[in-house]
Amino acid sequence: MRTSTATAVAIASAATGLALGYRFFARNACLTWGATEAEAARALPGDGLLTEPDVVTTRAVTIAAEPEEIFPWLVQMGSARGGAYTYDWIENLFGLNMHSADRIMPQWQQLAVDDVLPLGDSGPRMRVAILDRPHTLVFVSEDKHWVWAFELVPTTGGTRLISRNRIAAPDAALPQRVFTMLVMEPGSLIMESKMLLGIKKRVERVAAALPAVVTKAPERREEGPYRPVFPTRTIDV
């Protein structure tokens, strides 16, 4: 009995130490991989769609290309579309039907505000809330608990691709919140860093040889029902 008790105490102490170590020494690096302090701190389009998130990640990468060459790769993302440019085999373990494309597909460029992209058959349905070619693309889940924003910012030597996730879990119990912090957050870094680097690899490989196919937006302006709390460029195609 004493041995069992001592083992349980040791395991609990180790788990507590791991949680505290991650929380205070590694969590910020995990949540802001690739992003500068300024990028992580500044407001992005879509922030106003979820004002009280439980988790915010801001991750980024520099791509040696113009925004016009990168944006089509973002537009075609999704299940049974262009995939997510990450580990397809992991995505498909969860039935997400992801098959990452290695070229721009014209049939998947017709994305518009209010379009809904399901993530697999049982995953969340993501609605296009803001679309501003070639700078901003923001999705919001239909339950309003997840906002995923992409921002393309020209910089010296190329473009910064910034990805921000704002996630709320209002009904999550303490064990679920601990699991999210210790397992889901590092897991999301593995998947999202692969995605950002996957986009970078694809864009830079074809940018010099093959111009990106960008569907021209019509002159009329069509707006969806979602409004950020600060001015932003929002167009429909």
Side-chain angles (χ1 to χ4, degrees):
M1 176 67 82
R2 290 181 178 177
T3 300
S4 299
T5 301
T7 300
V9 170
I11 292 174
S13 298
T16 300
L18 175 63
L20 291 176
Y22 171 74
R23 173 67 179 83
F24 291 106
F25 299 107
R27 191 178 189 221
N28 185 66
C30 175
L31 300 181
T32 61
W33 178 90
T36 65
E37 289 186 10
E39 288 169 340
R42 76 181 181 89
L44 291 182
D47 284 358
L49 302 177
L50 180 55
T51 57
E52 297 183 2
D54 292 293
V55 178
V56 177
T57 70
T58 305
R59 294 162 177 150
V61 69
T62 299
I63 301 177
E66 298 299 316
E68 292 83 358
E69 297 171 290
I70 304 168
F71 202 80
W73 295 92
L74 301 178
V75 167
Q76 69 183 26
M77 290 175 63
S79 297
R81 291 168 55 88
Y85 315 117
T86 183
Y87 299 102
D88 288 353
W89 67 272
I90 296 179
E91 301 273 8
N92 293 330
L93 285 177
F94 298 94
L96 296 183
N97 191 22
M98 292 289 189
H99 304 281
S100 297
D102 285 322
R103 60 191 179 94
I104 295 171
M105 309 297 289
Q107 68 269 32
W108 293 326
Q109 295 300 307
Q110 304 298 325
L111 191 66
V113 166
D114 246 10
D115 281 354
V116 175
L117 298 181
L119 297 181
D121 295 332
S122 58
R125 290 165 55 85
M126 303 298 289
R127 187 179 298 274
V128 180
I130 302 173
L131 176 62
D132 175 10
R133 298 176 186 268
H135 300 289
T136 305
L137 179 59
V138 180
F139 298 97
V140 59
S141 63
E142 291 192 327
D143 64 6
K144 309 299 193 299
H145 291 167
W146 178 16
V147 174
W148 193 4
F150 294 95
E151 183 81 348
L152 293 170
V153 181
T155 188
T156 302
T159 300
R160 291 288 285 169
L161 168 56
I162 304 172
S163 170
R164 174 169 293 171
N165 287 273
R166 298 171 68 85
I167 301 170
D171 301 321
L174 179 59
Q176 183 179 350
R177 292 179 184 275
V178 172
F179 177 81
T180 296
M181 182 177 71
L182 296 182
V183 178
M184 299 302 292
E185 289 179 5
S188 74
L189 170 61
I190 292 172
M191 299 301 289
E192 189 164 28
S193 61
K194 174 67 172 178
M195 179 199 72
L196 293 173
L197 293 174
I199 295 173
K200 172 183 173 71
K201 177 181 177 181
R202 286 165 171 81
V203 172
E204 292 181 347
R205 184 180 64 216
V206 303
L210 182 65
V213 178
V214 180
T215 302
K216 180 175 175 161
E219 294 298 322
R220 66 185 182 85
R221 187 182 184 89
E222 172 190 344
E223 296 189 351
Y226 303 98
R227 298 290 184 271
V229 296
F230 57 91
T232 184
R233 305 174 300 275
T234 305
I235 69 170
D236 298 348
V237 296

